[in-house]
Amino acid sequence: MDIYIQSRGFEQDYDYRWLQVGNDGSIQPKLPPIGLTVTHLIDRETPTVVLERLVDNQLLLLLTGLEPKGRVDFLDRQIRIAMAWVGATTDEPLLRSLAASALIDQEYHPLVAQLNQAVCLGGNYGFQVSFPQMQGLLTVVRNPQQLSSEPPTLTPKIGRNIATLRQELAEELRTCHLPPTPGILIVVTGIKKPETLQEAGVWRSLSTLVEGDSWQDLSPQPWFLPANLQEGTQSKNPLIWFMVLISILSYWLTSLVKLLSSQKDT
């Protein structure tokens, strides 16, 4: 499994960059496979969890917005840390466990405490990574063998980023295997419009901008629903659905009558 760390050094010359951590403990500048779609779906200033199944069937787990206490740059600004794991399908239990552990606590305190020891200021890139400490990150994760692999519910859902829904999502990750289709599976972030997450087809998404305290199903819109009425029909008013259906039936009947009349004239 490939591991990537993003951070910066204390001095002005050492800005944010991604480093890949090799299995031998070596580090080199290299970007993880994070697409533009993912970067547009997250709020970088708040703790964020992303799970994506890539087109080659690899899995990407991205954690951003990690803020170890006391870690500041030359202007006394908070230095953030982001982590990315890229693994094969056989790594899914471990990645599910990591994601679930991150969701339990919004500030990721166990992970941040371990990262504070694993990622140190200094070195050729402004920060350096201790490989043994990075391996110790896995000690904060529940045993992946304790996971079950029940089939997931494929209907996409969205909710507000609150503790109860994060807990429910973590439990779902520990209970069910991930959907097999490539795409962005999970986004848990801060200020992000629900419409943006819905349009991206995210399987499970949580945002602070979503209203309500429960999950909302994002069932596909009926094929006959006019685009300008999609938002309105998502409200719980059955009269709108009835009016749309009557209008469509009326249009079909009128068209049928015209067709029969033209055939009779000929």
Side-chain angles (χ1 to χ4, degrees):
M1 185 163 57
D2 296 329
I3 301 176
Y4 302 82
I5 299 290
Q6 184 195 53
S7 192
R8 63 157 297 145
F10 175 81
E11 300 175 7
Q12 182 176 4
D13 295 337
Y14 297 115
D15 204 353
Y16 282 94
R17 67 169 68 209
W18 281 101
L19 298 178
Q20 183 183 27
V21 183
N23 293 329
D24 57 355
S26 62
I27 58 175
Q28 62 173 333
K30 188 175 182 180
L31 295 174
I34 302 173
L36 290 177
T37 302
V38 170
T39 60
H40 292 156
L41 293 178
I42 63 176
D43 178 3
R44 294 179 177 274
E45 297 185 0
T46 58
T48 292
V49 178
V50 176
L51 253 176
E52 179 181 13
R53 188 179 296 279
L54 306 176
V55 291
D56 56 2
N57 213 29
Q58 286 188 308
L59 287 169
L60 165 70
L61 171 61
L62 174 66
L63 306 181
T64 69
L66 308 177
E67 298 184 346
K69 292 183 179 180
R71 184 173 296 224
V72 295
D73 65 5
F74 67 103
L75 292 177
D76 203 36
R77 296 174 299 192
Q78 173 69 51
I79 295 178
R80 296 188 179 93
I81 299 178
M83 295 190 66
W85 289 267
V86 181
T89 53
T90 53
D91 296 313
E92 179 178 322
L94 178 58
L95 294 176
R96 283 165 53 196
S97 291
L98 281 166
S101 296
L103 289 169
I104 295 301
D105 194 314
Q106 188 178 17
E107 302 298 331
Y108 315 146
H109 292 310
L111 290 173
V112 173
Q114 193 73 30
L115 271 176
N116 216 8
Q117 302 177 24
V119 182
C120 308
L121 295 176
N124 296 331
Y125 304 105
F127 66 99
Q128 48 195 351
V129 182
S130 168
F131 186 65
Q133 293 286 351
M134 284 297 300
Q135 290 181 313
L137 278 172
L138 302 182
T139 62
V140 304
V141 181
R142 291 186 179 181
N143 188 348
Q145 294 181 353
Q146 295 178 352
L147 300 180
S148 56
S149 293
E150 298 178 8
T153 302
L154 297 180
T155 302
K157 295 181 180 181
I158 193 171
R160 191 153 61 97
N161 188 354
I162 55 178
T164 54
L165 296 189
R166 289 195 305 272
Q167 178 72 43
E168 290 178 11
L169 179 55
E171 188 59 31
E172 186 173 17
L173 285 173
R174 293 191 178 111
T175 304
C176 304
H177 64 76
L178 298 172
T181 306
I184 302 174
L185 304 178
I186 292 174
V187 174
V188 178
T189 191
I191 301 174
K192 190 58 59 175
K193 292 182 178 180
E195 297 81 6
T196 302
L197 295 166
Q198 181 176 358
E199 291 171 1
V202 182
W203 176 59
R204 296 287 183 270
S205 53
L206 295 174
S207 166
T208 56
L209 294 185
V210 179
E211 297 180 355
D213 294 335
S214 59
W215 289 101
Q216 304 173 25
D217 287 351
L218 297 178
S219 302
Q221 293 293 338
W223 63 269
F224 55 78
L225 188 62
N228 62 341
L229 289 178
Q230 286 183 2
E231 293 186 2
T233 53
Q234 289 179 357
S235 65
K236 300 179 176 116
N237 188 349
L239 180 60
I240 297 179
W241 283 99
F242 180 75
M243 293 175 63
V244 170
L245 183 59
I246 291 299
S247 298
I248 294 172
L249 289 175
S250 176
Y251 172 80
W252 284 349
L253 289 173
T254 302
S255 301
L256 180 61
V257 169
K258 290 182 179 179
L259 178 61
L260 293 175
S261 298
S262 62
Q263 290 179 348
K264 183 178 179 180
D265 294 339
T266 56

